[in-house]
Amino acid sequence: EQSDKLVELIDDMLNISKLESGDIKLNKSSVSLKQCLDECNTIDLAKRQNILVNIRIPQNIPLIVTDKQRLMQIINHLIDNSIKFIKDNGIMTISAKKKKRFIELSVSDNGVGIKKEDISRVFDKFYQAEEHMIRTKGGSGLGLSIVKKIIESLGGKV
């Protein structure tokens, strides 16, 4: 278990380093958000932890011109982060809507939440929730920072 955590930390460090240096190659193509969610293994992980996962993707969401591997990375980090702060028998909702020339993707849950004053920090490297915010699993504190860097490299915003 400790070896897996160390490998995850090393992978996250390598990812953030490549993203910050601009040394990341993007393979853009037309991608279906629904298909990406269907292939997402973290949704299965949430379900195995007795978390009800609601997916609300309208039929008219267009294909996204993006890097599918990076989009999958974004989705997995967002869902994984939600799982960490939600208890068994919790509820997670993954939704998307078209907003001008962007697709807004959100992952929400009925977990412990975050203080308003800390919201701006959740995308900072190594940010960890305070002790009172009980998580079911640890993490490197890099997942949401990686999400932000990938989204920005793809021309989007968090």
Side-chain angles (χ1 to χ4, degrees):
E1 188 176 317
Q2 292 300 319
S3 294
D4 289 343
K5 287 180 182 180
L6 185 57
V7 167
E8 180 184 329
L9 176 61
I10 291 168
D11 284 345
D12 284 349
M13 293 293 293
L14 289 170
N15 271 317
I16 203 77
S17 176
K18 286 179 184 177
L19 287 162
E20 287 180 339
S21 70
D23 188 26
I24 189 167
K25 293 185 180 187
L26 300 174
N27 292 321
K28 290 187 176 184
S29 62
S30 294
V31 177
S32 163
L33 179 57
K34 174 133 177 42
Q35 182 182 4
C36 287
L37 290 169
D38 288 344
E39 296 173 13
C40 183
N41 58 2
T42 50
I43 291 175
D44 294 333
L45 175 63
K47 290 177 180 177
R48 283 194 304 274
Q49 293 183 22
N50 297 319
I51 297 171
L52 175 65
V53 180
N54 297 310
I55 298 177
R56 296 191 176 134
I57 308 296
Q59 295 288 358
N60 64 346
I61 289 289
L63 295 177
I64 305 166
V65 177
T66 192
D67 183 308
K68 182 178 179 183
Q69 178 185 353
R70 299 297 172 200
L71 178 58
M72 293 293 293
Q73 203 173 359
I74 290 166
I75 293 168
N76 281 315
H77 276 298
L78 290 173
I79 293 170
D80 184 59
N81 190 73
S82 182
I83 291 170
K84 289 175 187 173
F85 293 95
I86 194 170
K87 296 178 181 176
D88 281 357
N89 301 314
I91 300 170
M92 177 189 306
T93 302
I94 303 164
S95 59
K97 60 183 171 184
K98 187 164 175 21
K99 288 189 116 181
K100 297 185 181 177
R101 60 183 201 97
F102 292 97
I103 302 296
E104 181 181 271
L105 176 68
S106 67
V107 176
S108 59
D109 60 58
N110 66 344
V112 295
I114 188 165
K115 292 180 183 178
K116 253 186 181 175
E117 59 267 20
D118 291 337
I119 290 174
S120 64
R121 297 178 52 217
V122 297
F123 294 99
D124 292 350
K125 283 189 285 188
F126 302 110
Y127 175 78
Q128 297 278 320
E130 293 181 23
E131 292 173 15
H132 75 278
M133 300 179 85
I134 299 166
R135 297 190 293 171
T136 58
K137 295 188 178 179
S140 67
L142 290 172
L144 293 181
S145 183
I146 289 170
V147 165
K148 183 177 181 182
K149 296 286 184 189
I150 293 172
I151 289 173
E152 289 172 348
S153 74
L154 291 167
K157 64 181 180 175
V158 172

